[in-house]
């Protein structure tokens, strides 16, 4: 896929290496579920189709495995083995999948990764159950790690979940707020939401391996903040792709976020620009009439003309730089840090 920057970036080798380490444990955990939520969970992870059959229609394997890779690389960054992070990697992957299942229900999204979302394939109630099963399994997986480190990891995950829910609640409430005026969503409010909704789990991913390995709070804290910054960068790129992404790569219609009138960073930046294009955009979005294809195309052009696209790209780069600064602030294993850096560039240039 061509990224929002127009560049192509190959997947870092660490993604395959970490997936090969983690996936056997991830599959073993999912096999412990009741057969019905197990099939829905396997579908959501991209392992099978809606009938439980692998192969055709089974999706792309559930994404790139960024969060599980971050968990493994975080452990390696503090001098531990990747194996020390496997339980944490499984837990964050399960929580990530749970969050996607429930997000699609809340947003009414019928498609994910080029096929039906879980609620569309199985029904809303069953999909809620599958999400709950994934969440419970994530907590159990970490609790089974045992000892002081296991308890610390559970606390770390629960804190990230609380932040994720906080951010998701803000994001949903943003939908009912006006586009302009004193009650409008401003960029600082959006940034805080993104750090919670998306940054919390990536922060947990990068820190949970070190926590399980018994690393010092100084090291795990720096890695957690680096992950939070990477999450905010990821959200900025995701917002760009929600407007300009290639449907063949994103699995969603062109201008999908504009059709939904979703308050994303490029749009908010354009509205805050105090430009002629920004004012025209506000009039278009304030209309009660649904945005047809021509209106959405016009809105996308106005967002770009008002500087929203450039602003979001710069925001993503700023957060990646902040993440790198966090990595540089503490003594970590250089090779693992370089792999985290390579993964962060991939987050900017690719849709995961």
């Amino acid at each position: 896929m061509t990224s929002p920057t127009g560049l192509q970036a190959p997947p870092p080798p660490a993604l395959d290496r970490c997936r090969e380490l983690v996936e056997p444990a991830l599959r073993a955990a999912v096999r412990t579920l009741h057969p019905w939520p197990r099939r829905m969970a396997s579908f959501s992870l991209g392992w099978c189709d809606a009938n439980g059959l692998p192969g055709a229609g089974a999706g792309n394997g559930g994404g790139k495995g960024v969060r599980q890779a971050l968990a493994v690389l975080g452990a390696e960054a503090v001098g531990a083995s990747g194996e020390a992070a496997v339980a944490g990697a499984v837990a964050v992957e399960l929580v990530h999948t749970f969050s996607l299942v429930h997000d699609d229900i809340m947003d009414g999204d019928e498609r994910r990764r080029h096929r039906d979302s879980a609620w569309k394939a199985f029904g809303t109630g069953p999909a809620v159950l599958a999400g709950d099963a994934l969440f419970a399994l994530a907590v159990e997986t970490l609790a089974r790690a045992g000892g002081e480190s296991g308890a610390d990891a559970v606390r770390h995950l629960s804190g990230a979940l609380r932040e994720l829910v906080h951010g998701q609640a803000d994001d949903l409430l943003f939908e009912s707020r006006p586009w302009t005026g004193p009650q409008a969503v401003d960029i600082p409010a959006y940034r805080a939401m993104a750090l919670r909704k998306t940054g919390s789990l990536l922060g947990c991913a990068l820190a949970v391996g070190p926590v399980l390995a018994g690393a010092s709070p100084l090291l795990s804290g720096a890695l957690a903040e680096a992950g939070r910054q990477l999450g905010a960068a990821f959200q900025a790129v995701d917002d760009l792709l929600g407007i300009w992404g290639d449907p063949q790569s994103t699995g969603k219609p062109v201008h999908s976020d504009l059709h939904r009138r979703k308050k994303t960073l490029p749009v908010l930046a354009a509205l805050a620009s105090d430009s002629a294009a920004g004012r025209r955009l506000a009039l278009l979005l304030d209309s009660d009439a649904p945005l047809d294809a021509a209106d959405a195309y016009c809105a996308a052009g106005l967002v770009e003309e008002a500087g929203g696209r450039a602003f979001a790209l710069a925001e993503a780069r700023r957060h990646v730089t902040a993440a790198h600064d966090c990595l540089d602030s503490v003594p970590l294993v250089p090779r693992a840090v370089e792999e985290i850096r390579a993964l962060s560039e991939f987050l900017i240039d690719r849709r995961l």
Side-chain angles (χ1 to χ4, degrees):
M1 166 195 149
T2 301
S3 76
T5 60
L7 302 175
Q8 295 269 346
L15 284 175
D16 284 338
R17 177 175 69 83
C18 296
R19 187 185 302 110
E20 289 171 4
L21 176 64
V22 174
E23 186 162 314
L26 180 59
R27 288 181 178 269
V30 172
R31 280 197 297 270
T32 66
L33 295 174
H34 181 285
W36 193 29
R38 181 200 311 154
R39 175 154 59 95
M40 292 185 283
S42 297
F43 172 85
S44 300
L45 285 158
W47 297 341
C48 68
D49 65 14
N51 295 314
L53 299 175
N60 67 351
K64 301 296 184 183
V66 167
R67 289 153 192 83
Q68 56 188 277
L70 287 174
V72 172
L73 294 175
E76 293 176 349
V78 299
S81 69
E83 285 80 1
V86 167
V90 169
V92 296
E93 192 67 25
L94 291 170
V95 167
H96 172 55
T97 307
F98 139 74
S99 72
L100 296 181
V101 170
H102 281 197
D103 278 356
D104 287 341
I105 294 169
M106 288 183 282
D107 294 341
D109 285 341
E110 298 184 357
R111 302 287 290 176
R112 179 169 291 279
R113 297 173 181 146
H114 305 286
R115 59 182 185 158
D116 286 345
S117 55
W119 73 267
K120 186 68 175 177
F122 299 100
T124 300
V128 170
L129 178 66
D132 292 346
L134 288 162
F135 165 64
L137 185 58
V139 176
E140 181 184 6
T141 298
L142 276 187
R144 285 182 180 275
E148 181 85 22
S149 295
D152 286 345
V154 171
R155 286 192 289 270
H156 199 78
L157 180 66
S158 62
L161 283 165
R162 177 174 49 79
E163 286 290 288
L164 187 156
V165 170
H166 188 141
Q168 182 68 60
D170 283 341
D171 195 31
L172 287 171
L173 289 170
F174 286 173
E175 295 179 6
S176 62
R177 290 170 61 175
W179 289 102
T180 57
Q183 297 302 313
V185 179
D186 59 18
I187 290 174
Y190 184 88
R191 284 172 171 155
M193 180 278 296
L195 281 169
R196 291 187 172 109
K197 178 185 173 183
T198 310
S200 61
L201 191 54
L202 265 73
C204 178
L206 199 47
V208 71
V211 169
L212 286 168
S216 71
L218 175 68
L219 297 183
S220 60
L223 287 162
E225 183 57 28
R228 277 168 50 84
Q229 295 296 329
L230 290 180
F234 178 88
Q235 185 63 59
V237 173
D238 202 55
D239 286 353
L240 287 163
L241 291 162
I243 300 176
W244 294 285
D246 179 0
Q248 293 300 314
S249 297
T250 65
K252 295 184 179 181
V254 66
H255 303 147
S256 59
D257 281 354
L258 289 172
H259 282 292
R260 293 170 50 200
R261 284 185 165 87
K262 189 170 177 63
K263 293 180 175 68
T264 60
L265 185 61
V267 175
L268 296 177
L271 293 172
S273 67
D274 194 28
S275 64
R279 290 189 288 274
R280 288 172 58 200
L281 177 67
L283 290 174
L284 185 59
L285 293 175
D286 272 332
S287 170
D288 292 332
L291 292 184
D292 60 21
D295 289 335
Y297 181 84
C298 177
L302 291 171
V303 172
E304 184 159 13
E305 183 181 344
R309 183 170 183 163
F311 183 95
L313 280 170
E315 182 87 346
R317 178 57 59 189
R318 181 179 70 82
H319 283 296
V320 169
T321 298
H324 292 177
D325 290 343
C326 290
L327 297 174
D328 292 338
S329 69
V330 290
L332 299 170
V333 176
R335 179 178 176 181
V337 169
E338 285 308 308
E339 289 188 292
I340 296 170
R341 286 177 178 270
L343 191 53
S344 71
E345 293 302 319
F346 185 64
L347 281 167
I348 294 297
D349 290 329
R350 301 284 294 197
R351 174 64 170 95
L352 307 180

